[in-house]
Amino acid sequence: MHGLAFDISHSLAGGLVLVSFMMLYQDRLTSLLNVFALHAVMLSLSVAWQALIQDAPHLYVTAAIALLFKAIIIPVALRRIVYKLGIHRDIETVVGIGPTMLAGMGLVALSLALMLRVTADADALAREDLAFALSVVLLGLLFMVTRRNAVSQVVGFMSLENGLILAATGAKGMPLVVEISVAFSVLIAFIVIGIVLFRIRERFDSVDVSQLDVSRGERT
Amino acid sequence: MTELAVQLGCVAALLAVAVVAAPLSRTPRLATAIIYGATLIVCAVATASALTWLLLHADAAAERVLPIGLPWLGAHLRLDALAAFFLVVINLGGTLASLYALGYGRHEHAPHRVLPFYPAFLAGMNLVVLAADAFSYLLSWEFMSLASWALVMAHHRDASNRRAGYVYLVMASFGTLMLLLAFGLLAGSAGNYDFAAIRAAQHTPYVATLVLILLLLGAGSKAGLVPLHVWLPLAHPAAPSHVSALMSGVMTKVAIYGFIRVVFDLLGTPDWSTSGIVLALGGVTAALGILYALMEKDLKRLLAYSTIENVGIIFVSLGLALAFQTNHQPIPAALAFTAALFHVLNHSLFKSLLFFGAGAVLSVTGERDMDRLGGLIHRMPFTSVVFLIGSVAISALPPFNGFVSEWLIFQAVLQSPQLPQWGLKILVPAVGGLMALAAALAAACFVKAYGVTFLGRPRGAATLAAKEVDRFSLAAMAILAALCLLAGVLPGLVMDALAPIATEILGSRLAPQSGMAWLSIVPIAQSHSSYNGLLVAVFIAVSASLSFGAIRLVSSGAVRRGPAWGCGFTDPVPLAQYSAAGFAQPIRRVFGTLMFRARDHVTMPPPGDIAPARLRIELHDQIWERIYAPLAGGIMAASVRLNRMQLLTIRGYLSLVFVTLVTLLLVLAIWT
């Protein structure tokens, strides 16, 4: 049983990393939002599996929160924003897809090499989880760096946060309060970012953050 | 136990006075009287209670934990013999400075910038000494630094004062950072910030050496050890004179307290080689400090540089105590330690006296430049007498107190052949030589300060209008002068009062001195050396009055006034008198070329030209130019380059975070 449980949790966490990679090469916002929803679903599956094998019922709450907010409410809301702003047909590429993917692979290798060595005496499940979680966080950051559109940066931030939740659930004994507060903070961040998006749009007729630099006199 | 409560009450009272002072200072005359009167009373009570503790319960320690500060730590406060002694020094200085300021403070043109910070400064110094955990210690230390910074900036319209305040602030932050690191090392990973826990813990020799060096940097920068002294001659004179007296006479002592508390009390026994660092730094500080003072013609700056010299002497003595203590030679260690504490007390007395005197001169003439003063002995006879007493005491001449403590330090130096290490055997006499040099130069320096300021004929119009200062100032100076004489004549009493501190800190003490015949002091053994202040004083008094009487007997009593001999000048204007720069010229020739790259430029007009010849003296502060100026330049250049980082794009910032994170992870991956 233990071997199977480990394999399933391993593959779910690995799936999360894989979906992070999928996000890296989405150049349309609508498809990016779909992949992000998939990302959240993978996360909630993974957390639910952890709840089952760790026999920790409060993790089901975390999984439910992830599913509800991240897989449904936030993508739907972002999609509405994207349509309202009229940027659903925009294509944005800052760095080419090939180099980005290569960099992502490097990051995953780095986090695996590091985490497996640092956590040598932790149990196998936690080690794998931490290594994958760090990969997801790094990929989320990479995603944010390679995008220019404010909406995609929000998505990158949310996927980074998914990695944090994965790390938190891998560690046994993380209190529920912490998870709820993390989820809540993400919601607040979403609201604030949503408002900021509209403000940026109002002023610059675009959500391309490079427009902000023009306004600061950095670039003409 | 009640003494600790009294001390805490006094600190609370001082803080309350500081709070009240802000609204009160709208009516300056009234506020000056009330605030300084209040601090006078509070400090007098604190002095009395600390003295009682030192004399009666010196072998005990009172402790109290107040529920303020860090929640799991609280504020530990402790009163033991060492703390009580330094409380006496601080509050005695505070009492007399307040008395002096009752008169001097009336001339203050910005009282609202001085009155609130003055009691706060006193409270801060008291708290540093009372604190018994690292957190409250550092907090009070910073409080003290900031309050004194505010006092330095009291006359902030003057650009040189603003610069002084800036340099002081930078150096104070540096010092506190060093102390923070030192306490961090002492507390270890367990985080025992309570002094009792630090004292109980065992420190490895590596940690002990590192802590000692950090303390030398941290406490040393506040005390004025070379090369960390740069702020001191700028900041001390910038403050109003009674505050200058406190900063020079008392605050440097608080820094020395910090050094003693950590190195002698908390650290256990460090390696013997560390004492060499303290000795060498102390010797260099003593010699360089007084050389700087000799080059100076600003009276208050001269006094500030002389403080650096005295701090050097105290550190030499502490280094000796450390050397003997680490070699398990208790009696010489106790001798050096007692001598250091004695000199702490003495310096606080005569340096306050001299700063008060300089303040008196400043308040009646508005002049700090000695080359524009002169002849003040006729207009300020009382001030000139007490200033002379202070000068004699600081030049370490008997029968005053300065002689006793320096004599004791030299007695400790003479014990150095007992040390087993050859390094110390060679170093200690060398440092003793530096101290002897410093003592001789100090005498020259104060002959210059006194002679140029008070003797001769007035050099400027400001001096002509001078008259004696008010009674409060005179009373404060008179008390200090009397204390200087008293401590010099009855050194045995002071040494006996200091003995419990040596017992507490070193575990050994000098033999009781009060039982000796004729009030002499015998630090080691009768056959070695002894000194009798009373006898010397009586001898000086008797022989001086006898020769005075004899001269009066032989000479006629009539006063004759005739023209002063002008050394061949036909028109001896007062400006042609011996000047401060002229007095220092031989010493500048000997030492200045090496230490200051001193150069005299003489512009001699050609024959027939009636333009005056000019002498310009070029001095370079090597420490500033070689260490601080390149450092400041480097920091400036780096910040100009880094300034571009302030204006990155959003993606630029994100990339920065990302690259930093990945780099750190890479380092970790390669390292582990």
Side-chain angles (χ1 to χ4, degrees):
Chain A
M1 177 63 195
H2 181 265
L4 182 66
F6 176 76
D7 284 346
I8 290 177
S9 79
H10 198 170
S11 58
L12 283 174
L16 201 60
V17 178
L18 196 66
V19 179
S20 282
F21 269 106
M22 285 168 66
M23 281 169 64
L24 280 182
Y25 64 80
Q26 302 301 325
D27 52 4
R28 278 174 199 277
L29 281 175
T30 45
S31 54
L32 175 67
L33 288 174
N34 291 340
V35 177
F36 174 65
L38 180 63
H39 200 264
V41 169
M42 288 303 288
L43 174 75
S44 80
L45 276 178
S46 172
V47 173
W49 183 252
Q50 292 285 346
L52 187 69
I53 60 169
Q54 286 184 20
D55 197 18
H58 66 266
L59 284 184
Y60 285 119
V61 181
T62 311
I65 290 173
L67 193 67
L68 184 68
F69 281 108
K70 298 208 161 153
I72 300 167
I73 294 181
I74 291 178
V76 168
L78 276 178
R79 179 179 296 270
R80 283 187 56 191
I81 290 174
V82 165
Y83 275 97
K84 220 175 199 172
L85 295 173
I87 52 173
H88 52 282
R89 285 186 217 284
D90 284 14
I91 293 175
E92 51 152 3
T93 41
V94 176
V95 185
I97 294 204
T100 315
M101 297 296 276
L102 281 175
M105 278 149 78
L107 289 178
V108 172
L110 172 66
S111 68
L112 282 177
L114 183 70
M115 271 302 169
L116 294 185
R117 210 166 341 152
V118 171
T119 60
D121 40 357
D123 78 341
L125 191 61
R127 288 176 72 189
E128 295 290 343
D129 257 357
L130 282 176
F132 282 130
L134 184 63
S135 313
V136 173
V137 168
L138 288 179
L139 287 174
L141 259 178
L142 178 67
F143 183 80
M144 285 175 82
V145 171
T146 54
R147 298 299 162 126
R148 212 163 35 194
N149 189 304
V151 175
S152 18
Q153 288 190 343
V154 172
V155 170
F157 174 71
M158 301 263 168
S159 78
L160 183 155
E161 203 272 335
N162 284 351
L164 290 183
I165 292 187
L166 184 68
T169 53
K172 281 178 188 164
M174 181 79 129
L176 179 66
V177 182
V178 176
E179 285 160 31
I180 289 181
S181 59
V182 167
F184 194 70
S185 71
V186 170
L187 193 66
I188 298 290
F190 168 71
I191 292 168
V192 172
I193 289 167
I195 292 168
V196 170
L197 273 182
F198 277 103
R199 298 298 301 235
I200 295 173
R201 155 81 178 190
E202 259 171 37
R203 188 142 306 186
F204 300 108
D205 286 332
S206 164
V207 285
D208 186 337
V209 287
S210 57
Q211 296 285 322
L212 293 177
D213 306 336
V214 177
S215 135
R216 289 202 312 185
E218 296 290 305
R219 210 182 295 157
T220 45
Chain B
M1 206 61 202
T2 48
E3 274 85 358
L4 181 56
V6 171
Q7 292 298 341
L8 292 180
C10 288
V11 171
L14 285 173
L15 289 173
V17 173
V19 172
V20 172
L24 255 182
S25 43
R26 275 181 211 155
T27 49
R29 282 195 78 87
L30 182 68
T32 305
I34 292 179
I35 301 302
Y36 290 128
T39 51
L40 170 68
I41 293 165
V42 174
C43 285
V45 170
T47 314
S49 114
L51 201 58
T52 321
W53 179 273
L54 190 61
L55 296 178
L56 300 182
H57 320 281
D59 42 359
E63 212 165 344
R64 184 168 288 200
V65 183
L66 295 185
I68 44 178
L70 294 181
W72 62 91
L73 189 65
H76 291 254
L77 299 158
R78 189 158 179 273
L79 181 64
D80 56 10
L82 182 67
F85 168 68
F86 277 92
L87 284 173
V88 171
V89 171
I90 294 168
N91 289 309
L92 187 62
T95 311
L96 291 167
S98 305
L99 179 61
Y100 176 78
L102 275 174
Y104 179 81
R106 285 191 220 137
H107 308 292
E108 179 62 54
H109 53 80
H112 56 288
R113 295 190 197 283
V114 176
L115 289 177
F117 300 113
Y118 176 76
F121 177 41
L122 285 171
M125 290 195 290
N126 274 311
L127 271 177
V128 171
V129 175
L130 285 171
D133 66 86
F135 182 76
S136 26
Y137 183 88
L138 286 173
L139 197 69
S140 344
W141 180 273
E142 274 301 82
F143 185 72
M144 170 184 87
S145 298
L146 280 178
S148 56
W149 174 78
L151 288 166
V152 168
M153 294 292 276
H155 303 150
H156 63 108
R157 306 239 179 263
D158 189 345
S160 67
N161 288 359
R162 287 201 297 275
R163 176 164 178 269
Y166 177 69
V167 175
Y168 178 29
L169 205 58
V170 171
M171 291 305 289
S173 323
F174 168 78
T176 310
L177 175 66
M178 293 300 122
L179 288 182
L180 189 71
L181 295 177
F183 281 119
L185 275 177
L186 282 175
S189 52
N192 290 321
Y193 292 107
D194 183 3
F195 279 180
I198 295 178
R199 196 176 290 126
Q202 286 293 318
H203 303 288
T204 60
Y206 174 69
V207 167
T209 309
L210 210 56
V211 166
L212 188 129
I213 290 170
L214 286 172
L215 249 292
L216 273 178
L217 293 174
S221 73
K222 182 68 84 195
L225 273 186
V226 171
L228 302 163
H229 66 282
V230 283
W231 65 274
L232 197 148
L234 301 175
H236 283 192
S241 293
H242 58 297
V243 179
S244 306
L246 279 183
M247 287 179 76
S248 241
V250 178
M251 191 171 74
T252 53
K253 308 303 173 298
V254 176
I256 288 166
Y257 162 81
F259 184 79
I260 295 177
R261 174 64 81 197
V262 174
V263 171
F264 285 87
D265 187 14
L266 302 185
L267 203 54
T269 310
D271 189 56
W272 68 268
S273 57
T274 52
S275 65
I277 309 173
V278 183
L279 276 167
L281 265 182
V284 169
T285 303
L288 267 184
I290 201 66
L291 273 178
Y292 275 111
L294 263 167
M295 300 301 128
E296 199 52 61
K297 59 177 187 172
D298 178 323
L299 189 54
K300 282 179 84 176
R301 281 182 64 134
L302 179 144
L303 293 177
Y305 276 124
S306 141
T307 297
I308 296 175
E309 180 231 344
N310 281 281
V311 164
I313 292 174
I314 294 167
F315 269 94
V316 165
S317 195
L318 289 175
L320 279 172
L322 201 62
F324 288 120
Q325 181 72 2
T326 48
N327 283 307
H328 308 291
Q329 295 180 350
I331 298 297
L335 171 61
F337 190 73
T338 311
L341 293 180
F342 203 160
H343 202 70
V344 163
L345 175 70
N346 289 344
H347 182 245
S348 82
L349 294 177
F350 48 63
K351 191 45 64 71
S352 301
L353 171 56
L354 290 170
F355 261 115
F356 290 170
V361 171
L362 177 63
S363 72
V364 295
T365 63
E367 202 54 73
R368 275 162 47 176
D369 185 348
M370 284 189 278
D371 281 345
R372 287 193 216 148
L373 294 166
L376 284 172
I377 193 167
H378 300 298
R379 288 165 179 81
M380 308 171 77
F382 191 85
T383 308
S384 65
V385 169
V386 286
F387 198 91
L388 178 63
I389 292 177
S391 303
V392 171
I394 202 170
S395 311
L397 293 178
F400 292 99
N401 55 355
F403 176 75
V404 184
S405 50
E406 292 207 25
W407 182 76
L408 286 173
I409 296 172
F410 278 109
Q411 292 305 316
V413 170
L414 292 179
Q415 301 297 315
S416 64
Q418 292 183 24
L419 289 167
Q421 292 90 4
W422 276 103
L424 287 179
K425 268 189 213 211
I426 295 166
L427 179 67
V428 172
V431 170
L434 275 179
M435 284 220 341
L437 173 71
L441 290 178
C445 177
F446 280 92
V447 166
K448 169 183 125 175
Y450 187 78
V452 176
T453 312
F454 288 97
L455 304 181
R457 290 195 290 151
R459 291 183 179 82
T463 324
L464 288 170
K467 55 182 191 302
E468 194 56 273
V469 283
D470 57 277
R471 284 190 193 154
F472 291 112
S473 309
L474 291 181
M477 290 190 278
I479 293 173
L480 281 169
L483 286 175
C484 281
L485 183 63
L486 212 59
V489 173
L490 304 169
L493 294 184
V494 183
M495 285 167 71
D496 279 351
L498 297 178
I501 309 170
T503 316
E504 175 194 281
I505 303 293
L506 302 176
S508 59
R509 54 164 292 170
L510 291 177
Q513 305 289 331
S514 45
M516 302 292 169
W518 296 100
L519 295 171
S520 11
I521 50 169
V522 182
I524 302 288
Q526 189 80 50
S527 57
H528 270 280
S529 51
S530 66
Y531 169 69
N532 190 321
L534 190 60
L535 220 56
V536 170
V538 168
F539 172 74
I540 290 176
V542 168
S543 60
S545 41
L546 275 182
S547 24
F548 181 72
I551 291 169
R552 287 309 291 258
L553 206 69
V554 174
S555 69
S556 80
V559 176
R560 278 184 304 149
R561 285 191 184 274
W565 184 54
C567 303
F569 278 99
T570 47
D571 177 25
V573 286
L575 277 178
Q577 294 177 92
Y578 214 8
S579 67
F583 189 88
Q585 195 247 20
I587 294 163
R588 194 171 61 236
R589 281 277 164 84
V590 178
F591 297 102
T593 330
L594 182 67
M595 301 316 304
F596 305 105
R597 282 195 283 143
R599 229 173 262 145
D600 295 359
H601 299 278
V602 182
T603 324
M604 195 63 81
D609 193 345
I610 52 163
R614 293 207 173 272
L615 170 68
R616 193 169 61 81
I617 298 159
E618 184 188 328
L619 289 176
H620 294 271
D621 185 344
Q622 302 262 49
I623 292 172
W624 182 269
E625 285 175 13
R626 294 270 166 88
I627 301 176
Y628 287 89
L631 201 66
I635 291 173
M636 202 61 204
S639 44
V640 166
R641 297 225 165 80
L642 284 174
N643 200 19
R644 288 165 61 199
M645 304 275 279
Q646 302 255 8
L647 293 164
L648 291 180
T649 61
I650 293 178
R651 270 190 58 230
Y653 283 125
L654 275 174
S655 313
L656 201 65
V657 171
F658 181 66
V659 169
T660 314
L661 181 64
V662 170
T663 314
L664 287 178
L665 288 176
L666 268 175
V667 168
L668 200 60
I670 293 164
W671 201 335
T672 51

